[in-house]
């Protein structure tokens, strides 16, 4: 799944608060969940430390989330686009820790865990929110919670804070204290130092187990807090309170009266472009409304909603423009910050809608979205914000795409199209035409994730055909089309909601620096790169431990390994953090040894961008940055109540222990002031599981005695093991001296200086189609032909001929070996066309009759501008185009008849030709089938069974026959089969017809007997006026006729079967069965007995003794039909077969003459549709025979009128043509068995 961050939301979840949690087996663990949007559309105002779901990749993917797994392009480590289950742009949500304090003895023995984001760029991390918890570490089981994340969002720095007095509060109490600090000497032995702090209790909210907090920042002292009681059984919010502080969190005022005393609030949103604009969403179970504030939550206006919001997407620049996705798959837009909404589009895929990007899209109000067409098809369309009509829609991709595959990210657009079970990934750069992504030929990806798209290139994680738990990293050129291998076998795992997590972390502040966990020989090791994946190496372990003892760890057998991933896999117990404002400083948890483990985890720090590491804690801590990295704050992850934190002013070399409260507190989270400066923090927690929320405001300003000056800074040279040239540049940074304790403030800048380096071989990576050998050189892969790279050339023009190398994207080196490794410009060669491809835009080999089919033609090699393309559609039509570029949008064609067509594309120029063939199956929808079979059959005599299709021609069809009690079916390609029934009784017959993705069936029950007689019946004309010609009516009338015959003749019920035949005029047939007790099974007695019964019935019929009342005033008389002189069917062997055939022929001819001349009807289609000959549907009445399925809406639709039939025989095509709907006649004839 390729994911683009829509929104930001965070929540710290108390796992023990949820139903079914086993407190005795597991220590309570707070789960931090959040979604983070891109920088331009962020709604989160805090940085979350603690247990989370993962983190995002790259500058534009800086967040974490849950995920959907049905997508082909999947999320990289916690992509926020993959968490559509809750509204987005919500501010951090904390969920309180509610474990009983009497479990403390169990918690004390628990080893501690902390998790922080993985695959996170570290960019735009300006606010701080931390969630804390601990979990038991098991030595037998390596897997652990996947809900471990860290979120950061933007907000400018603040400076010059003025202490403010306590303001009045509607509810709560406040305790303030301020005591002098004292410097401690090390991490092992400390005297207690105290911080300036105040505590406020949210009185009345002791039952609330969740909170969402927003700190406006931007020189504002306003903090909003929404507390809620979330019922895990009902999965909804049942109570809520809204609190507001105007003094940096020292005191809070309850605002329930301002929003409505009975109003239940579920989410809090903030405009990413104007933090003063607040949006509150009510619980839709009670009411569906929005409350909007434009003054930082001081006042609100309520607006009713007609839909339920699932997610929001704010415009990256326009503060009032919002997109909202509803529960019924509709996309709404508002240009008034939610005050008014209008529908943009229906059937929109969840989280597959994007705002336009300035400089790339033509209009600022353009929306990119994916709309669902069917279960397996979707379309990529563009729409205008307030005018999304069919006339204004754009379709940038020609054809259908796979559902949930559209991603618009930075300057790239990605879609997927699956053909013959294989996905094809397409990319568009700078909104240009779509081109298939070119991975190495035999990569054969099972899964693909786009990790990042910054710096004008794509980083993708690909799971290849022979991988199960690891991914290979590939990097593209600037076009996003051509990919080369960067690192193999990167560790991955499945997140809590199915999202794939990849162990890749982009270090903030250092361009081109990444950390990754690679699996080698079943061991996971951490690697580092300084040149965007061109070269990787292991991390050198610290030389000494926390207590100064030597560590004996020799590369490559032993190294430092870091926890980069934060999901449910064996290697996710740690945290990692870096900042733009503190380049070179990385804090992470990990272990030392031959591989990454979950035991003996400690916290490590580097001050020189990964060259040297130091151990700072032997337990797991959350580390926050103060004053743009000038100081570090560490808070222990523990299930116990705490009242201390640790401070370091020298990049973690020395730590001081401070108390922040007099009463130990179960810490649920920490909110830092927005901005990199971060000198005020609020700790959220409670003193017991029944207490109200305790908010401890900590003001760190008092521990700094002055502002920093130039003498407090020093220079630092970035290097990689002594090499100062990284990404072609020598970089020198300014950082604070370890001995300086001063406030840098918002005016501080890194002030980086740089100088260009001469290019070396290390500044170039292998080009597409080339692989790095053991000697470090790039040479062509066995499958690659270098000449193929010139396929876009036009004769007379030039192209860049690859040397096998390409400069690493964003590398700024000059001169040196640049000429030797840079592609050389050459004249385009004249080539014959080669590598011609022909596919449909949907990527399938089927099409529907009467609809447009779009053919796409691609040429791999040859002069496309001078190569003509001829496309023969196989139905007598063909088109020729002068060059390949003229058919980039595809070639459309409509097939008017069903069939299999041989479509041929031929490319030709002066040097040769190339031909490719595609066999296209054109079909139409199978609507109905009818099984034509006799109702009575003679034992051991062959019977013909015919399946009649409607329409008669639908393409390639498979027939599956289930006859009698056979457990194995008979499968044929023909619509008729012959069979015999060896036993008397009722034999069921079922036929299933498979046409494309449609399977229909019909079923009949055949009465099998040794002997029987039958005769046709006719009726008085008034019956036709009341005949609707439906199966149920025929069944009911058959029963009435049978009863009338029994009453008139005293024939036994079990010896008589009656079936009314389909069509008009109304006809029927009766069947006489022998009485085996009277005939003793002897043929002579049986024949005589049946003759006697036939005479009785015919006599009654000829005397008009058989009548019935259809309805009051409608008396119907039943007659014996006299269409021919044919006698009753005799099944004895004494009759001549030839004679019987002549008699049967007479019946057929007589019936045809009768139909044509008496009823002015003509049997249609006998020369056109062979299947129609046996479509006669019959019904019979017997207690042992089940009711048959009803036919289509009108069986009379299956024939044509007499007036149009003669011309149609020679003029109309075979296909999905509907017959005349006014003719009431069936072509079916009764079946006689001899």
């Amino acid at each position: 799944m390729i994911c683009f961050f829509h929104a930001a939301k965070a929540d710290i979840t108390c796992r023990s608060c949820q139903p079914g949690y086993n407190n005795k087996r597991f220590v309570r663990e707070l789960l931090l969940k959040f979604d983070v949007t891109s920088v331009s559309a962020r709604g989160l105002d805090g940085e979350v430390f603690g247990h989370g779901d993962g983190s995002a990749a790259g500058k534009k993917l800086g967040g974490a989330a849950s995920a959907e797994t049905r997508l082909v392009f999947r999320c990289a480590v916690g992509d926020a686009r993959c968490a559509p289950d809750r509204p987005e742009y919500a501010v951090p949500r904390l969920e309180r820790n509610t474990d009983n304090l009497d479990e403390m003895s169990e918690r004390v023995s628990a080893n501690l865990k902390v998790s922080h984001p993985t695959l996170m760029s570290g960019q735009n991390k300006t606010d701080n929110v931390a969630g804390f918890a601990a979990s038991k570490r098991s030595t037998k089981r390596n897997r652990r919670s996947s809900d471990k994340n860290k979120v950061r969002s933007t907000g400018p720095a603040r400076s010059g804070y003025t202490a403010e007095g306590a303001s009045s509060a509607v509810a709560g109490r406040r305790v303030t204290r301020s005591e002098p600090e004292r410097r401690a000497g090390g991490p092992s032995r400390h005297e207690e130092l105290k911080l300036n702090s105040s505590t406020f209790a949210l009185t009345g909210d002791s039952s609330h187990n969740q909170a969402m907090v927003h700190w406006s920042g931007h020189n504002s002292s306003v903090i909003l807090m929404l507390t809620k009681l979330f019922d895990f059984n009902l999965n909804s919010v049942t109570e809520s309170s809204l609190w507001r502080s105007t003094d940096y969190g020292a005191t809070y005022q309850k605002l329930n009266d301002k929003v409505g005393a009975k109003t239940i609030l579920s989410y809090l949103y903030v405009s990413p472009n104007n933090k003063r604009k607040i949006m509150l969403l009510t619980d839709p179970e009670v009411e569906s409304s929005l409350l909007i504030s434009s003054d930082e939550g001081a006042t609100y206006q309520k607006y009713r909603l007609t839909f339920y919001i699932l997610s929001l997407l704010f415009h990256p620049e326009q503060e009032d423009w919002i997109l909202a996705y509803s529960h019924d798959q509709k996309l709404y837009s508002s240009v008034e910050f939610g005050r008014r909404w209008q529908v943009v589009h229906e059937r929109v895929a969840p989280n597959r809608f994007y705002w336009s990007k300035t400089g790339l899209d033509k209009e600022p109000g353009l929306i990119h979205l994916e709309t669902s067409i069917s279960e397996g098809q979707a379309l990529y369309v563009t729409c205008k914000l307030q005018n999304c009509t069919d006339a204004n829609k754009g379709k940038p991709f020609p054809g259908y795409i796979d559902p949930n595959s559209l991603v618009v990210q930075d300057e790239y657009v990605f879609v997927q199209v699956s053909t013959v079970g294989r996905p094809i990934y397409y990319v568009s750069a700078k909104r240009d035409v779509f081109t298939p992504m070119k991975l190495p030929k035999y990569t054969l990806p099972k899964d693909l994730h786009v990790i990042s798209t910054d710096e004008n290139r794509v980083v993708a994680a690909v799971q290849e055909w022979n991988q199960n738990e690891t991914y290979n990293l590939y990097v593209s050129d600037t076009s996003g089309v051509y990919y080369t291998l960067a690192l193999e076998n990167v560790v991955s795992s499945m997140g809590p909601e199915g999202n794939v997590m990849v162990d890749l972390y982009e270090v903030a502040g250092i361009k081109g620096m990444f950390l990754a966990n690679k699996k080698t020989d079943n061991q996971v090791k951490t690697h580092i790169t300084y040149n965007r994946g061109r070269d990787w190496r292991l991390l050198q372990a610290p030389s000494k431990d926390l207590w100064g003892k030597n560590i004996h760890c020799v590369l490559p057998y032993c190294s430092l390994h870091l926890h980069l991933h934060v999901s449910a896999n064996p290697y996710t117990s740690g945290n990692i953090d870096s900042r733009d404002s503190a380049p070179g400083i990385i804090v992470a948890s990990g272990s030392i040894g031959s591989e990454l483990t979950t035991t003996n985890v400690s916290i490590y720090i580097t001050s020189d961008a990964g060259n040297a590491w130091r151990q700072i804690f032997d337990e797991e801590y959350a580390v926050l940055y103060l004053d743009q990295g000038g100081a570090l704050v560490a808070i222990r992850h523990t299930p116990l109540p705490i009242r201390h934190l640790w401070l370091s002013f020298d990049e973690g070399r020395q730590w001081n222990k401070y108390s922040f409260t007099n009463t130990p507190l179960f810490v649920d989270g920490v909110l830092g002031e927005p901005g990199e400066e971060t000198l005020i923090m609020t700790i959220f927690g409670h003193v017991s599981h029944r207490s109200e929320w305790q908010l401890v405001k900590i003001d760190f300003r008092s521990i700094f005695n002055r502002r920093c000056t130039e003498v407090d800074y020093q220079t630092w040279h970035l290097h990689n093991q002594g090499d100062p040239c990284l990404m072609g540049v020598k970089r020198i940074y300014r950082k604070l001296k370890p001995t300086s304790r001063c406030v840098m403030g918002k005016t501080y800048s890194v002030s980086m200086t740089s100088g260009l380096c001469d290019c070396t071989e290390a500044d170039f990576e292998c080009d597409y189609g080339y692989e790095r050998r053991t000697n470090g050189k790039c040479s062509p892969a066995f499958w690659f032909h270098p000449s193929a790279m010139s396929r876009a050339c036009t004769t007379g023009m030039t192209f860049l001929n690859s040397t096998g190398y390409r400069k690493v994207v964003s590398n700024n080196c000059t001169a040196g070996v640049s000429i030797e490794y840079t592609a050389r410009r050459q004249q385009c060669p004249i080539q014959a066309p080669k590598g011609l491809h022909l596919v449909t835009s949907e990527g399938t080999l089927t099409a529907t009759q009467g609809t447009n089919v779009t053919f796409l033609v691609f040429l791999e090699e040859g002069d496309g501008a001078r190569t003509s393309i001829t496309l023969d559609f196989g139905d007598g039509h063909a088109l020729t185009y002068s060059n390949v570029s003229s058919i980039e949008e595809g070639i459309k064609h409509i097939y008017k008849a069903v069939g299999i067509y041989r479509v041929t594309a031929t490319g030709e120029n002066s040097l040769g030709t190339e031909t490719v063939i595609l066999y296209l199956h054109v079909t139409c929808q199978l609507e109905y089938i009818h099984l034509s079979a006799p109702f009575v059959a003679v034992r051991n005599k062959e019977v013909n069974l015919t399946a009649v299709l409607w329409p008669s021609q639908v393409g390639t069809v498979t027939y599956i026959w289930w006859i009698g009690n056979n457990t194995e079916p008979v499968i044929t390609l023909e619509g008729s089969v012959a069979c015999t029934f060896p036993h008397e009784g009722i034999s069921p017959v079922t036929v299933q017809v498979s046409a494309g993705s449609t399977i229909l069936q019909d079923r009949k029950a055949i009465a099998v007997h040794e002997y029987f007689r039958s005769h046709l019946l006719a009726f008085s004309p008034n019956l036709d006026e009341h005949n609707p010609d439906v199966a149920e009516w025929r069944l009911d009338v058959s029963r009435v006729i049978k009863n009338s015959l029994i009453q008139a003749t005293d024939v036994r019920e079990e010896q008589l079967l009656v079936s009314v035949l389909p069509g008009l005029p109304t006809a029927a047939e009766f069947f006489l069965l022998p009485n085996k007790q009277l005939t003793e099974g002897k043929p002579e007695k049986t024949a005589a007995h049946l003759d006697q019964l036939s005479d009785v019935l015919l006599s009654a019929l000829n005397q008009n003794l058989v009548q019935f009342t259809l309805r009051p005033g409608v008396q119907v008389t039943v007659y014996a039909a006299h269409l021919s002189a044919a006698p009753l069917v005799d099944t004895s062997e004494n009759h001549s077969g030839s004679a019987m055939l002549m008699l049967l022929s007479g019946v057929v001819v007589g019936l045809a003459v009768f139909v044509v001349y008496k009823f002015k009807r003509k049997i249609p289609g006998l020369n056109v549709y062979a299947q129609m000959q046996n479509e006669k549907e019959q019904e019979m009445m017997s207690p042992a025979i089940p009711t048959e399925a009803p036919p289509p809406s009108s069986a009379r639709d299956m024939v044509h009128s007499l007036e149009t039939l003669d011309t149609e025989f020679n003029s109309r095509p075979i296909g999905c043509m509907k017959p005349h709907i006014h003719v009431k006649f069936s072509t079916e004839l009764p079946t006689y068995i001899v």
Side-chain angles (χ1 to χ4, degrees), residues 509-569:
I510 308 295
K511 183 174 69 174
M513 183 176 175
F514 289 83
L515 291 162
N517 282 330
K518 176 182 177 180
K519 179 177 283 190
T520 304
D521 297 329
N522 292 322
Q523 291 184 327
V524 176
K525 301 175 183 288
T526 300
H527 292 69
I528 189 171
T529 179
Y530 295 87
N531 53 9
R532 289 192 169 272
R534 196 279 189 195
D535 299 292
W536 297 84
R537 66 171 175 85
L538 297 170
L539 297 179
Q540 178 64 60
S543 59
K544 296 183 181 297
D545 64 12
L546 186 62
W547 297 275
K549 296 180 181 180
N550 292 330
I551 298 176
H552 301 284
C553 187
V554 180
L555 292 173
Y557 310 103
C558 174
S559 59
L560 173 64
H561 311 286
L562 303 178
H563 291 283
L564 307 177
H565 199 263
V566 282
S567 70
N569 86 23

Side-chain angles (χ1 to χ4, degrees), residues 604-629:
Y604 298 89
I605 190 171
T606 177
S607 301
D608 58 0
N611 287 281
W613 294 82
R614 303 186 307 275
Q615 184 183 11
I616 56 176
F617 294 105
D618 60 356
E619 294 180 314
E620 298 188 53
Y621 282 71
V623 180
L624 295 80
Y625 288 71
L626 285 181
D627 190 30
Q628 306 195 62

Side-chain angles (χ1 to χ4, degrees), residues 703-745:
I703 64 176
F704 297 96
N705 49 27
R706 61 185 177 83
R707 286 278 179 179
C708 296
T709 63
E710 286 298 324
V711 298
D712 294 307
Y713 297 99
Q714 64 182 2
T715 58
W716 170 66
H717 296 255
L718 175 65
H719 66 93
N720 174 16
Q721 295 183 328
D723 182 4
C725 287
L726 302 180
M727 298 294 290
V729 176
K730 295 179 181 179
R731 282 174 278 184
I732 303 174
Y733 296 87
R734 186 179 72 156
K735 60 170 29 179
L736 199 64
K737 292 179 181 179
T739 58
S740 298
R741 185 189 296 190
C742 55
V743 176
M744 291 187 290

Side-chain angles (χ1 to χ4, degrees), residues 377 417-420 839-847 918-920:
Q377 292 181 325
V417 177
S418 293
T419 59
V420 198
V839 297
T840 62
S841 59
E842 293 81 9
T844 63
L845 297 176
T846 62
L918 181 149
Y919 293 97
L920 185 69

Side-chain angles (χ1 to χ4, degrees), residues 580-608:
D580 281 330
S581 60
I585 299 178
I586 307 172
V587 182
S589 67
S591 60
I592 297 175
S594 60
E595 63 177 324
L596 182 66
T597 66
T598 57
T599 58
N600 300 321
V601 175
S602 300
I603 305 298
Y604 298 89
I605 190 171
T606 177
S607 301
D608 58 0

Side-chain angles (χ1 to χ4, degrees), residues 238-240 256-257 259-265 282 286-287 302:
T238 57
E239 294 180 15
S240 67
N256 283 25
D257 292 339
V259 298
K262 296 183 179 180
T263 300
I264 299 178
L265 303 174
T282 62
V286 180
E287 64 172 323
K302 181 180 286 189

